[in-house]
Amino acid sequence: MNTNEVEIVLYGAEQLCPSCVNLPSSKETYEWLEAAIARKFPEQPFKMKYVDIYQPVGDSEKVNFAKKVIEEDMFYPVVVIKEKVVGEGNPRLKTIFAELEKHGYKAV
């Protein structure tokens, strides 16, 4: 069982990205992802953070990455674990789970 808390940051916006029509909103993706991770890795701590790319708050690293999402026309929401982009536009649970397992998380 993993006891190290990993921070998962989801960068998104209220408005859907132009290429992401018919996909859930960033907030919906955030809630879905948080629930899916909690189910897959029960009783293993993790921290979820949502950063609005148009009104970023938090440390300079998060604010700068939010600007990068806009400047590089990345498909959002963008999911980042330990500074590694693990999902963009329509994040895949399999990819996110695999990254968490690299950090010691064990699926139940």
Side-chain angles (χ1 to χ4, degrees):
M1 284 284 195
N2 183 46
T3 53
N4 296 328
E5 184 177 69
V6 169
E7 183 179 56
I8 302 151
V9 185
L10 188 139
Y11 294 86
E14 289 294 318
Q15 144 196 11
L16 290 175
C17 93
S19 304
C20 304
V21 181
N22 300 327
L23 292 177
S25 71
S26 296
K27 286 276 194 198
E28 289 168 331
T29 301
Y30 174 89
E31 291 164 4
W32 164 77
L33 188 56
E34 188 173 38
I37 293 168
R39 274 194 309 275
K40 182 82 170 180
F41 305 104
E43 304 188 22
Q44 297 173 71
F46 67 93
K47 186 165 64 173
M48 290 279 301
K49 175 120 177 91
Y50 179 85
V51 177
D52 187 308
I53 59 173
Y54 294 109
Q55 297 171 334
V57 291
D59 56 51
S60 60
E61 194 178 289
K62 288 180 180 64
V63 171
N64 289 336
F65 191 86
K67 289 178 186 164
K68 181 179 169 182
V69 170
I70 296 168
E71 288 166 3
E72 295 185 9
D73 284 330
M74 296 173 85
F75 297 127
Y76 55 85
V78 178
V79 181
V80 178
I81 298 174
K82 296 252 186 187
E83 299 172 24
K84 181 177 180 187
V85 174
V86 294
E88 197 180 327
N90 187 12
R92 301 266 179 257
L93 283 177
K94 188 175 177 185
T95 308
I96 294 165
F97 290 166
E99 187 63 25
L100 287 169
E101 287 168 352
K102 288 180 191 170
H103 293 288
Y105 285 77
K106 300 276 183 258
V108 176

